[in-house]
C-alpha cells in the first residue's frame, strides 16, 4: 500500500448546520489514524489545516510522541507519528510530493462511486501513480472537495439505518479493506 | 449481528511493564466504539470496570450525550450510547443477560485461534447462542481472560512488522469484518 497516502481535512468541512467551517485538530485523530496508516503500510498521513495556530498545535502533539518522555514511554506511537506531515492545503501536498489521484470518502450515497476492489485494481495496474484518500472532520467534507476529487469511495454501510462512524473508525475500516483487496 | 455484543475490559489488563492493572475509562473509547457497535447492529456495548468511581465517570460521559445539551447537539451520538451498559465484571453481564460465548481479541499470535469466517458460521448455525467480543485497554488483556474465553480471534495483521492499532481502530475493523462475513 506504499502508493496510498491519507489526508485528514479540517477545511473546508461542514458543521452541524451545513455551513463551511474549519474544524479543530484533535489529539485522538492524530495518533489513532497514524497508528492505522503505519500498520497498513501507507506512505504518508497528512494533517491538513489552513490555520497556522492549529498546525502548531498538531506539531506540538506530534513532538510529544517523537521526543523526550513520549518517545520513551511509547516508542510504538513515536514510530507511527513519523509518517505524519502537517500541511496547509492539498496544493502543498502536490507541491511537496507531486500529483496524487484524489479519492474522497463519505458516509452518504452519491453519484459516480468507486468500490475498493476497483480502486485497488487500478492502483495495482498503475504502480507509478499515487493515491490520496481524503477524510473529512466535523460533519463531513464540503462539496468543493468532491468536485476536486477523481473518485468518491463507496461508503461503509452498517447493519441498519444508523451510520455514524467516527472519522477514526471509518479510516481504520477503509484501510483494512484496501489491504484485504490488495491481498486478493 | 444481533447475537453479538462487545465488552471493553479495563481490568485485568497489562500495563507497559506487563503488570496487571486497572486502566482508566476514556471518553473516546466510549463514543467511538458505541457508534461502531450501533452502526453494525450489535446488541450491547459493555464497559467493564471494577472501580465504582470509574463506572460513575463513564456514566457521567454517557449522560452528557443522552440528556440535555449533548442530546440536542448530537442526537446520533445519543442514539449510539443507548446500547451501552456499565458493569463491574463479566459475571455481572452473565447475571443480567445470561451466558455468552466469550471471544477474546488480541494483537499477538497465539495458539488455538479462530478466524472471523469460522466464528460467524458458528454463530449463524446457533442463532440461540450469544457471543461477546472482549477487547482490552492498556497494553492488552491479562492471561486469565484468555483462559476464561471460548475462543481467541485471529489478530488483525498489517502490511509489515508494525502492528499497534488503538483498541478503537481494532474494534472498528473487527466489527466490519464480522458484518462482511455475515453477508457472504
Amino acid at each position: 500500500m506504499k502508493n496510498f497516502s491519507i489526508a485528514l481535512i479540517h477545511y473546508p468541512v461542514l458543521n452541524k448546520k451545513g455551513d463551511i467551517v474549519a474544524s479543530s485538530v484533535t489529539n485522538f485523530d492524530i495518533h489513532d489514524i497514524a497508528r492505522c496508516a503505519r500498520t497498513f503500510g501507507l506512505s504518508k498521513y497528512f494533517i491538513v489545516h489552513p490555520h497556522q495556530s492549529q498546525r502548531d498545535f498538531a506539531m506540538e502533539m506530534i513532538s510529544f510522541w517523537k521526543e523526550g518522555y513520549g518517545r520513551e514511554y511509547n516508542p510504538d506511537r513515536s514510530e507511527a507519528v513519523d509518517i505524519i506531515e502537517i500541511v496547509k492545503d492539498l496544493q502543498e501536498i502536490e507541491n511537496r510530493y507531486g500529483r496524487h489521484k484524489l479519492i474522497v470518502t463519505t458516509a452518504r450515497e452519491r453519484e459516480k462511486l468507486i468500490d475498493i476492489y476497483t480502486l485497488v485494481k487500478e492502483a495495482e495496474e498503475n504502480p507509478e501513480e499515487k493515491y490520496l484518500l481524503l477524510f473529512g472532520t466535523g460533519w463531513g467534507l464540503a462539496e468543493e472537495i468532491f468536485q476536486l476529487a477523481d473518485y468518491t469511495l463507496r461508503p461503509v454501510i452498517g447493519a441498519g439505518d444508523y451510520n455514524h462512524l467516527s472519522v477514526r473508525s471509518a479510516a481504520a475500516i477503509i484501510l483494512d479493506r484496501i489491504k484485504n483487496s490488495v491481498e486478493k
Side-chain angles (χ1 to χ4, degrees), chain A:
Chain A
M1 294 171 63
K2 260 293 170 201
N3 51 344
F4 280 90
S5 291
I6 185 169
L8 186 68
I9 312 278
H10 295 80
Y11 176 87
V13 297
L14 304 178
N15 69 4
K16 193 190 165 187
K17 293 186 285 180
D19 306 325
I20 292 175
V21 295
S23 64
S24 299
V25 165
T26 306
N27 187 24
F28 277 79
D29 287 347
I30 296 177
H31 61 73
D32 269 24
I33 297 175
R35 289 157 75 185
C36 267
R38 186 77 182 73
T39 293
F40 291 113
L42 265 62
S43 177
K44 290 281 175 196
Y45 168 28
F46 297 101
I47 293 174
V48 185
H49 207 297
H51 299 163
Q52 184 67 50
S53 62
Q54 285 286 308
R55 293 201 301 278
D56 290 346
F57 172 70
M59 185 49 84
E60 216 177 287
M61 294 288 108
I62 293 166
S63 301
F64 174 78
W65 296 112
K66 273 191 167 172
E67 296 155 17
Y69 179 72
R71 175 163 218 120
E72 196 185 309
Y73 182 71
N74 196 335
D76 301 330
R77 212 165 276 190
S78 167
E79 208 178 324
V81 300
D82 275 348
I83 69 165
I84 295 177
E85 303 250 342
I86 301 167
V87 296
K88 70 172 193 297
D89 55 22
L90 294 174
Q91 188 60 50
E92 190 176 344
I93 299 175
E94 187 169 332
N95 295 348
R96 284 202 213 167
Y97 293 99
R99 163 97 184 119
H100 290 70
K101 279 210 171 178
L102 303 180
I103 304 111
V104 269
T105 61
T106 175
R108 297 184 197 93
E109 287 289 344
R110 288 180 64 97
E111 289 182 356
K112 290 193 294 176
L113 296 170
I114 190 170
D115 61 58
I116 281 174
Y117 179 78
T118 309
L119 172 66
V120 167
K121 196 159 170 281
E122 190 201 294
E124 284 176 336
E125 287 167 3
N126 298 280
E128 77 297 337
E129 197 82 66
K130 285 176 287 190
Y131 295 85
L132 184 60
L133 296 159
L134 307 180
F135 284 84
T137 55
W139 264 252
L141 291 161
E143 188 58 32
E144 70 175 88
I145 299 287
F146 288 91
Q147 299 304 327
L148 265 179
D150 297 282
Y151 300 117
T152 302
L153 202 60
R154 192 173 295 281
V156 173
I157 300 293
D161 289 341
Y162 186 93
N163 189 25
H164 300 284
L165 297 173
S166 71
V167 66
R168 299 168 291 283
S169 300
I173 289 168
I174 286 170
L175 296 189
D176 181 57
R177 288 186 179 184
I178 290 176
K179 194 216 158 216
N180 290 333
S181 290
V182 169
E183 282 173 349
K184 272 170 196 160

